């Protein structure tokens, strides 16, 4: 007796499915996880941390109207909304933080 076997799917189908799952995970889940690790604080907290020289690095993002900064040990990431502050650059310089602006 001859048994009729169904042909196995080529390995490329399984490879394509796994690639699609990885792409969806990277585009959907990873940004959500990264966003949850950033703590939102008010501008007063930012000014207090700058005054106490507790800021490690800072990035001023004018297009998104926010400031991203880390603590001195760079263990936590914070963000705050920008305020009209003409002394912002001097405040960051006086705090000893490494800071940069966004290149538009």
């Amino acid at each position: 007796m001859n048994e009729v076997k169904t042909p196995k799917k080529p390995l490329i189908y399984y490879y394509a499915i796994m690639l699609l799952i990885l792409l969806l995970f990277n585009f959907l889940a990873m940004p959500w996880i990264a966003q949850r690790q950033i703590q939102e604080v008010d501008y007063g907290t930012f000014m207090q941390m700058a005054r106490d020289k507790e800021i490690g690095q800072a990035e001023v993002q004018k297009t998104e109207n926010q400031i991203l900064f880390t603590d001195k040990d760079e263990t936590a990431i914070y963000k705050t909304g920008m305020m009209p502050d003409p002394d912002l650059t001097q405040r960051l310089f006086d705090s000893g933080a490494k800071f940069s602006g966004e290149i538009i």
Side-chain angles (χ1 to χ4, degrees):
M1 294 220 177
N2 292 338
E3 287 186 33
V4 177
K5 294 183 180 179
T6 58
K8 294 182 180 180
K9 290 186 179 180
L11 189 60
I12 191 75
Y13 290 118
Y14 297 110
Y15 180 74
I17 290 171
M18 285 305 296
L19 186 63
L20 182 64
I21 290 171
L22 284 174
L23 284 173
L24 286 174
F25 180 75
N26 282 333
F27 284 118
L28 300 176
M30 290 304 287
W32 181 75
I33 291 170
Q35 184 67 27
R36 306 253 318 150
Q37 294 176 349
I38 299 174
Q39 298 177 8
E40 188 170 340
V41 297
D42 58 60
Y43 198 78
T45 304
F46 168 73
M47 289 186 347
Q48 182 66 36
M49 288 178 73
R51 191 176 308 119
D52 296 339
K53 299 184 179 186
E54 296 176 356
I55 296 178
Q57 290 186 351
E59 180 180 344
V60 179
Q61 299 177 341
K62 288 191 177 189
T63 58
E64 295 183 23
N65 199 29
Q66 69 180 4
I67 302 170
L68 288 175
F69 61 99
T70 64
D71 57 359
K72 203 63 157 170
D73 301 328
E74 296 186 11
T75 56
I77 301 172
Y78 304 95
K79 75 176 179 179
T80 187
M82 288 186 56
M83 300 289 292
D85 185 0
D87 299 328
L88 176 64
T89 306
Q90 188 62 41
R91 184 185 326 276
L92 287 170
F93 182 75
D94 291 341
S95 73
K98 297 177 186 174
F99 58 97
S100 64
E102 181 179 39
I103 299 174
I104 301 173

